Amino acid sequence: MMHAHILGFPRIGAARELKVVLEAYWAGKIERSELERTARDLRARHWAQQRDAGLDFVTVGDFAYYDQVLNASALVGAIPARFRAHAAGDHGGGNADVDLDTLFLMARGRSRCGCDAPAAEMTKWFDTNYHYLVPELTADQQFTLSSQRLFDEVREAQALGHAVKAVVIGPLTYLWLSKAYGGDFERLDLLDRLLPVYAQVLQQLADLGVTWVQVDEPILSLDLPAAWQAAFESAYNRLQTRSINVLLTTYFGPLADNLWLASRLPVAGLHIDVTRSGDEWRRVIDNLSEYKVLSLGLVDARNIWRADLGRLAGIAREAHARLGERLWIASSASLQHVPVDLRNETTLPAETLSWLAFAVQKLDEVQILRLAASEPDSPVVCAAIASAESALASRRAAAWRRNDGVRQRVAALTAADSLRAPYAERARQQQALLQLPPLPTTTIGSFPQTTEIRQARAAFKAGRISQSEYEHAMRAFVAESVQVQEDLGLDVLVHGEPERNDMVEYFGEQLEGFLFTRNGWVQSYGSRCVKPPIIAGDVSRPAPMTVSWAQFAQSLTRKPMKGMLTGPVTILCWSFPRDDLAREDIAAQIALAIRDEVVDLEAAGIQVIQIDEPAFREGLPLRKSEQAAYWLWAVEAFRLSASGVRSETQIHTHMCYSDFNDCIRQIAAMDADVITIETARSAMELLQVFSEFSYPNAIGPGVYDIHSPRVPGADAMQHLLVEALHQIPAERLWVNPDCGLKTRGWPEVKAALAEMVRATRILRAELAEKATAEVLSA
Ligand code: GLN
Ligand code: ZN
């Protein structure tokens, strides 16, 4: 029988129910049983939705209290030593099972019982904005089946009467995503020890009567070293079993040179992401053994546009003609990357509702495509295709989506538009204007978003307070922040961003071409969700977006006030992009809007402007062959946004991820006058690449981690700065925290910044002394 299924469903809940109970549990406000009850209700609801849509299986194992990779670590018992005492202690529940509180301790660095230990590192899941917890493996790593959670959830679904397909992260992908700690060894060396646990998992699932297990190996869409390719063969040979069918899944890109390998693995089925692999599916069919099923991921799990059912039905029909009942229809990947249910959107313009599909709507699309494959002429199929086509036509026809002025501006761009004078010249002019002391101090933009700030913003949005009352309240917060910075003795000030809910949404709301959801939440990590705006049409800026705030803040101080903007690449990466214009063209449109804002800030007397690009590295395609093209347009978009101003206007950028090794040339090509980066957690290791590359412009390496409420001492920061001075000459070194301070509280922020200023002053004095000594000895 031809099957329809999805690779996973969002677990957070349409109303973010999971977030609410998680945070209440962490705060000690509810009992564990209540947390578990909500989780169970969510799973039951999501499974029912899959069944009601007509899918053949419910997917079990996609639920996670915090993160699916963390779940995999628990499953195979990869618990780093510093958490093991907790796991084994009274809190561990007295059995070998990794307890929920241990998971939270690993994820958050603290648990309800008061234990703490440095949290596991978090990093981005492939090219998504979802963050997973990096498994930490050691040379003597042992693996044992250490969590029953997956099996419990299988039983739970079975008790509800569902046919179950279980899902686990594959052994190769698990190892690839992990980090090797201590000692000289390859992660791949651990495969032999890991596989028996996987075999056990498969057996236990089979014993529960599960017939299919989805084994996720998305690394098959990466350029894999030969050793890893070879490991796939041996691993899946060894996992072969007659007791359960393995559906090996790959997504987020084409198989490319892994195609032959993936098609030949001894598994019962293969899933591929058709939305991102062109017509590779035909070649996969050519290579597929007679006994295997092929699951085609036709429905886009990464974007919110309603599927073009007519076109996809064509693929389904052709594949069905070749594969018959061996064809399965699916979502391209897990639906965890899209919001839950469009029916909760009440404020979107009516005409746009028909253009969109969230997770729940995508279930229906999967089901209809399955039907379309075998019964293309059935009335249901014809009606669904006609309705999808009219939605597409309505989107194409919407006049507001087109802005010829922007199109012409982009078409007329020349190299000169993204060129500034040479850095050395700019630096001289900027210093003449700004007169900054050596090692200038600054912050990254946001100050604590207090309850009062959030309440005022919410009241304004709900119409409970007037525009002028709102602005009055926000101005008071700005004034307070400026005063604090003056008192601390910082050199380049910021207004504190109280008026911003989110660094992308804030700009999107003021730009033309965007749509906004009310409940379009997508999990970013743990309990944190974001609501990505939707880029639906040409982007333009009808009016200044930040100028009055910056101007007001500048009026309160004689120190330079830094204007604060989000960069074009980040706005693009953290939105749902339109699917009818190339990413680079969307980026250029946004860049022009930001450029206009930069120019207006300058005209309003703002001399320092920061254009944040924390997502700059994240937009990088997974395949090396596509990366050069990305860098070209991404760098160009940033430069375009920054190059409309005079040489004496200082442009900053900020990035906060920890690997510049593969993009230092591109960072240099952005040519920002100052780049501030997150470095404190890696103890300045990061700077090495800047010094090896002889990065030419100024750098502000973060001197303290903003993710923790701990107040670091001046000593520690001074130490980091001395370290930094080995790599970066003093004239080009800035002093700042790792990132914005909006998640912190004022007392700790004031204390930490005071220490930062103190550390800087001590070093300045030392530098001055050294300079004098040099003059005297000359
Ligand atoms: N300016 C932003 C802030 O300070 C930057 C945030 C970020 O890098 N993610 O909040
Ligand atoms: Zn940051």
Side-chain angles (χ1 to χ4, degrees), residues 151 200-211 241-245:
F151 313 108
Q200 235 178 310
V201 170
L202 297 188
Q203 188 56 50
Q204 226 170 292
L205 288 170
D207 293 345
L208 287 170
V210 176
T211 51
T241 162
R242 258 195 292 270
S243 49
I244 194 164
N245 296 305

Side-chain angles (χ1 to χ4, degrees), residues 443-447 497 500 503 564-566 570 574 610 612-614 654-656 738-742:
T443 60
I444 306 304
S446 57
F447 276 119
E497 305 179 24
R500 302 186 191 176
M503 65 187 291
M564 196 59 60
L565 304 173
T566 302
T570 298
W574 289 353
Q610 178 171 313
D612 287 325
E613 283 289 21
H654 165 72
M655 294 184 192
C656 42
D738 264 356
C739 190
L741 299 162
K742 72 174 174 193

Side-chain angles (χ1 to χ4, degrees), residues 393-700:
S394 136
R395 175 149 68 110
R396 288 204 186 106
W400 65 267
R401 295 183 58 242
R402 192 166 175 96
N403 180 329
D404 289 321
V406 177
R407 298 249 167 167
Q408 280 152 18
R409 262 184 97 184
V410 171
L413 287 172
T414 66
D417 293 314
S418 40
L419 214 58
R420 299 187 77 197
Y423 170 72
E425 191 183 320
R426 298 193 317 255
R428 222 174 12 257
Q429 294 190 36
Q430 289 162 16
Q431 185 51 17
L433 179 72
L434 297 169
Q435 304 275 334
L436 295 169
L439 311 182
T441 53
T442 190
T443 60
I444 306 304
S446 57
F447 276 119
Q449 291 251 331
T450 57
T451 322
E452 295 100 296
I453 290 180
R454 272 195 281 260
Q455 277 168 354
R457 228 180 19 230
F460 175 52
K461 274 213 159 168
R464 276 180 275 124
I465 58 171
S466 70
Q467 170 97 21
S468 77
E469 281 171 305
Y470 169 71
E471 275 177 19
H472 187 79
M474 290 300 135
R475 286 185 171 213
F477 293 122
V478 171
E480 196 186 314
S481 305
V482 172
Q483 189 58 51
V484 169
Q485 296 172 81
E486 288 265 15
D487 295 346
L488 284 164
L490 291 163
D491 301 307
V492 173
L493 312 194
V494 296
H495 80 289
E497 305 179 24
E499 78 289 8
R500 302 186 191 176
N501 37 354
D502 171 276
M503 65 187 291
V504 169
E505 196 174 45
Y506 178 76
F507 290 95
E509 278 174 348
Q510 301 185 72
L511 292 168
E512 230 124 76
F514 282 78
L515 291 174
F516 294 90
T517 63
R518 267 311 255 282
N519 294 294
W521 298 103
V522 176
Q523 188 182 19
S524 166
Y525 62 87
S527 66
R528 219 184 122 76
C529 301
V530 292
K531 213 158 28 91
I534 299 168
I535 303 176
D538 291 334
V539 174
S540 62
R541 186 200 70 144
M545 304 181 281
T546 64
V547 174
S548 65
W549 297 109
Q551 217 167 10
F552 169 69
Q554 182 67 84
S555 76
L556 303 173
T557 177
R558 304 180 56 164
K559 297 230 167 125
M561 176 60 55
K562 185 158 63 163
M564 196 59 60
L565 304 173
T566 302
V569 180
T570 298
I571 292 182
L572 173 62
C573 286
W574 289 353
S575 301
F576 287 117
R578 58 196 289 189
D579 56 357
D580 56 354
L581 190 68
R583 281 210 301 166
E584 74 173 279
D585 296 321
I586 307 175
Q589 291 184 352
I590 305 171
L592 284 173
I594 300 297
R595 177 189 180 96
D596 293 347
E597 187 72 13
V598 170
V599 168
D600 282 350
L601 281 169
E602 180 188 62
I606 304 299
Q607 297 164 337
V608 182
I609 300 165
Q610 178 171 313
I611 306 173
D612 287 325
E613 283 289 21
F616 202 68
R617 171 68 175 67
E618 172 188 322
L620 188 68
L622 298 173
R623 289 284 184 178
K624 290 202 180 72
S625 59
E626 295 162 27
Q627 292 176 351
Y630 167 78
W631 286 130
L632 272 180
W633 66 253
V635 168
E636 184 62 21
F638 178 84
R639 293 178 61 122
L640 184 58
S641 70
S643 301
V645 285
R646 295 187 297 267
S647 294
E648 61 263 42
T649 298
Q650 189 169 72
I651 299 289
H652 289 219
T653 190
H654 165 72
M655 294 184 192
C656 42
Y657 45 78
S658 48
D659 197 359
F660 294 94
N661 282 301
D662 58 354
C663 60
I664 187 69
R665 272 190 307 123
Q666 288 77 17
I667 305 277
M670 290 167 77
D671 197 25
D673 296 302
V674 181
I675 180 171
T676 55
I677 55 175
E678 173 193 333
T679 38
R681 280 199 288 187
S682 69
M684 300 286 158
E685 259 170 49
L686 258 181
L687 281 182
Q688 220 170 336
V689 50
F690 283 86
S691 84
E692 276 162 16
F693 179 78
S694 307
Y695 180 81
N697 305 5
I699 309 177

